[in-house]
Amino acid sequence: METPQCGEITEMVCLESELQDGQMKQIVVDENKILLVRNNGEFTAVGGLCSHYGAPLIKGTLVGDRVRCPFHGACFSTKTGDIEEFPGLDCLPTFKVKVEGGKVYVTTDKKKLTKRVKKMSSRVPGVSHTVVLIGGGPASLQCAETLRQNEYGGRIIMVTKDEQLPLDKTKLSKAMNIEIEKVLLRQNDFLKEHGIEVWTKKEVKSVNTEAKTLTFKDGTSQHYDQLLISSGGRARPLQCPGAELKNIKFLESYKDATEIYQMSAGNKAVVIGTSFIGMEVAAYLSDKAASVTVIGNSKFPFQSSLGSEIGKMTMQMLEEKNVKFYASNGVAEIRGENGKVKEVVLKNGEVLPADIVIVGIGVIPNSDFLKETSVEIDSRNAVVVDKFMKTNIPDVFAAGDVVSFPLPLVGHKRVNIGHWQLAQAHGRIAGLSMLNQQVAINTVPFFWTMLLGKGIRYTGYGEGYTEIVFKGSTEERKFLAFYIKDEEVVAAASMNFDPAVARLSEMLLMGKRITKAQAQSDDLSWLQLP
């Protein structure tokens, strides 16, 4: 055996015979949680915790040379540790493995890294080429980092109307009183080191694609050589008398989250909307507000996306925490006193007292600033892109919640999906396209929600499904749901059934056909669950 270098620790972790091809094992060496993998007779070792939120990858699914996180679907190469599917920005550390005398040895150093930043360049002096990224979300940040990872030496400017650097906004509806440091995606020092400028409180007024110039609402302008439109979406406004009253809040920023928490604590909160934002906010406030009431236009929450049974279960979960629901209803009017909300009048005539109203009734793509351009916009306000995230205008790309893009999973039908993971995938493809690296988008949607400590995972594209096949039950709050369309599984959702959804996501990505008969079968060996 080689002598370990200074600061390194080598331990025998298992016998060679203990791990077969296609198997993985979590080991601990000098307090490092490490994932040991065997594939084609070769042993490799990478960090054992997902770089996104630290989930144990041993509970995920291994397919070939990559492991997929069970919680949120991030994928990593088990050879290089590189992140291959999002969410998350960072890669996994790798560790030296040696097989000798039928024993497997792993060597670590003293750094105890749980994640690794992919090598990135910075701005090269004298290079005038400029990329401008509109928006401060995951698509913009991933595009910027992809450019630097591929040795782009020009200027990168990210412009955002937000007050902060790019944030993990998925946390804001689940933990509204969270410290800003815990939601920042990157620290300011990191961005400066890699020459990524972030202009906050800066909103784009218009774009001149012929002159390659942006004009901002503060009257200033900026030239670009290449442009990314990743302006996200804005909350759909409430349309009823009284909608202009104070204390009617939309969750779009860190400031919004903080204000909603402060206004709700000990007060009567009314939530309008029973999809992800509304339900997550209601769940979070359930033990903080004096009362929480939820108004939805469908019979159950999540009815169009997850179906009635799962929706009914989530309603019961919140009702157990004294959240009251007014289903199949709507708001007729909001009444106020001294300019502030006092009560909400429902369409059925009932009147609900309210100190604050939180609205989560959908999102509209932010593309209004493009109306004077020739950039193609569809009927739903989304920017139309091809599989390389290119718009119809040269040097103008788009990514994230603002786009309509061709999804391979549904025969390249154009879709507009507001998922964090997809936004990052878009940003990466856009960055590569800017560098003339033609890599087509090929990803399977994966999203999650967290309600009262219980997670629901979802993968695929279930629009138009006609049937749901359940394994387990929503009553037990342990289930796997297959969404069926044309006798095939097009999507799946689960609770307490990991890593089933992660495994299905890999199968869908590989183009494997999963039949209704397979979903209905008592034999789920085809899923290869542990």
Side-chain angles (χ1 to χ4, degrees), residues 6 24 44 229 233 294 353 367 386 407 415 417 465 489 491 529:
C6 182
M24 56 184 177
T44 56
I229 300 161
V294 180
S367 62
D386 65 12
L407 182 64
V415 296
I417 306 174
Y465 74 87
V489 174
L529 297 177

Side-chain angles (χ1 to χ4, degrees), residues 233-496:
R234 64 185 181 275
R236 189 176 293 280
L238 191 61
Q239 305 280 359
C240 70
E244 74 292 340
L245 288 167
K246 290 180 182 177
N247 289 21
I248 296 178
K249 300 295 292 181
F250 298 86
L251 179 53
E252 296 183 289
S253 67
Y254 180 80
K255 183 181 178 184
D256 291 336
T258 303
E259 289 180 354
I260 290 169
Y261 169 77
Q262 291 170 346
M263 290 180 185
S264 300
N267 288 320
K268 296 181 282 293
V270 173
V271 178
I272 303 172
T274 53
S275 194
F276 295 93
I277 295 293
M279 288 294 284
E280 288 176 359
V281 167
Y284 179 74
L285 294 177
S286 62
D287 62 350
K288 298 168 185 69
S291 65
V292 179
T293 305
V294 180
I295 303 163
N297 58 17
S298 56
K299 187 176 181 182
F300 299 112
F302 304 116
Q303 191 162 323
S304 61
S305 55
L306 299 179
S308 297
E309 287 190 60
I310 295 175
K312 182 180 180 182
M313 175 200 72
T314 62
M315 180 187 279
Q316 289 170 342
M317 287 169 63
L318 268 64
E319 284 175 336
E320 289 166 10
K321 296 294 181 181
N322 299 315
V323 174
K324 188 167 179 60
F325 283 85
Y326 287 84
S328 303
N329 218 317
V331 177
E333 180 187 359
I334 299 179
R335 295 172 183 160
E337 192 173 82
N338 300 321
K340 286 186 178 181
V341 168
K342 185 182 180 185
E343 54 193 23
V344 177
V345 183
L346 301 182
K347 287 183 177 177
N348 68 357
E350 289 191 67
V351 179
L352 310 177
D355 299 307
I356 177 174
V357 173
I358 304 113
V359 184
I361 54 174
V363 173
I364 302 169
N366 269 330
S367 62
D368 290 357
F369 63 92
L370 297 168
K371 62 187 175 185
E372 301 298 324
T373 73
S374 299
V375 174
E376 186 181 354
I377 309 288
D378 71 10
S379 59
R380 297 179 62 192
N381 243 40
V383 178
V384 176
V385 294
D386 65 12
K387 60 186 177 181
F388 303 114
M389 310 315 293
K390 297 178 179 179
T391 70
N392 60 315
I393 303 296
D395 293 321
V396 178
F397 305 78
D401 296 5
V402 75
V403 305
S404 175
F405 75 103
L407 182 64
L409 189 63
V410 289
H412 302 279
K413 171 189 169 186
R414 292 190 186 281
V415 296
N416 171 242
I417 306 174
H419 296 339
W420 192 263
Q421 162 257 344
L422 277 175
Q424 272 196 272
H426 291 169
R428 176 177 173 269
I429 297 299
L432 293 173
S433 290
M434 287 177 176
L435 300 169
N436 292 317
Q437 296 183 33
Q438 299 292 292
V439 178
I441 187 76
N442 185 25
T443 189
V444 172
F446 195 113
F447 68 84
W448 66 95
T449 186
M450 183 67 72
L451 301 171
L452 304 170
K454 298 283 188 183
I456 298 175
R457 336 255 188 241
Y458 180 100
T459 192
Y461 187 72
E463 187 177 273
Y465 74 87
T466 53
E467 186 180 350
I468 305 177
V469 174
F470 279 91
K471 301 296 175 187
S473 72
T474 53
E475 288 80 10
E476 294 175 15
R477 295 174 190 174
K478 181 177 181 177
F479 64 85
L480 172 61
F482 297 101
Y483 296 81
I484 311 295
K485 182 180 179 182
D486 299 329
E487 300 296 308
E488 286 191 25
V489 174
V490 293
S494 77
M495 177 182 277
N496 291 320

